[in-house]
Amino acid sequence: MIRLTLMNEEYWYVNPDHIVGIKSGHKYGSAIESDHQTGIEHTIDVTQVQESPEEVARKVLEWKLAMEGYRIFTKRASIDGDYDVANLHYDELKRLAGLEEQA
C-alpha cells in the first residue's frame, strides 16, 4: 500500500495495483476542480489527493520496485536462511506505506 493525502488532510492507503490512471487539473472533468488537484482513477472511482501526478507515479514505482525486491530476497532467504536483506526491503515497504515507526 502507498499512503496518499486526501483533500481533507486525511490519509488514504491504496494498493498501487488498483490505480489505473492519474488525472491532473480541471481540464479532465468536474471531479478535478483546479490545477492543484490530482485525481487517482482506481478500480472503483476517482479520488482526489494532494500529491502531484508525478509524486503519485513515483510512489507507485517505488512501491513496485521495493515489493519485487522483497519477493526476490524472501525467496532467496527461504533457501539460505539469511533474512537481513529481505527485512531491509520490508522496512522500505513500511516506509512507502507511511507505516514506519515515529522516533
Side-chain angles (χ1 to χ4, degrees), residues 10-88:
E10 291 183 10
Y11 291 124
W12 179 48
Y13 296 88
V14 61
N15 181 339
D17 293 331
H18 291 183
I19 295 174
V20 295
I22 302 170
K23 300 178 180 183
S24 176
H26 62 279
K27 63 185 173 187
Y28 290 103
S30 61
I32 310 302
E33 297 173 0
S34 78
D35 290 330
H36 303 291
Q37 294 179 338
T38 300
I40 305 300
E41 185 179 0
H42 47 94
T43 53
I44 298 172
D45 200 358
V46 174
T47 301
Q48 295 178 19
V49 297
Q50 293 183 14
E51 289 81 3
S52 70
E54 295 82 10
E55 178 71 8
V56 174
R58 183 190 61 76
K59 286 183 175 200
V60 168
L61 179 59
E62 283 182 350
W63 174 266
K64 289 186 179 207
L65 290 171
M67 181 57 80
E68 189 61 27
Y70 179 70
R71 285 185 188 124
I72 290 168
F73 286 103
T74 300
K75 190 173 209 176
R76 181 176 162 195
S78 69
I79 295 168
D80 64 19
D82 181 10
Y83 285 89
D84 290 339
V85 176
N87 287 336
L88 290 175

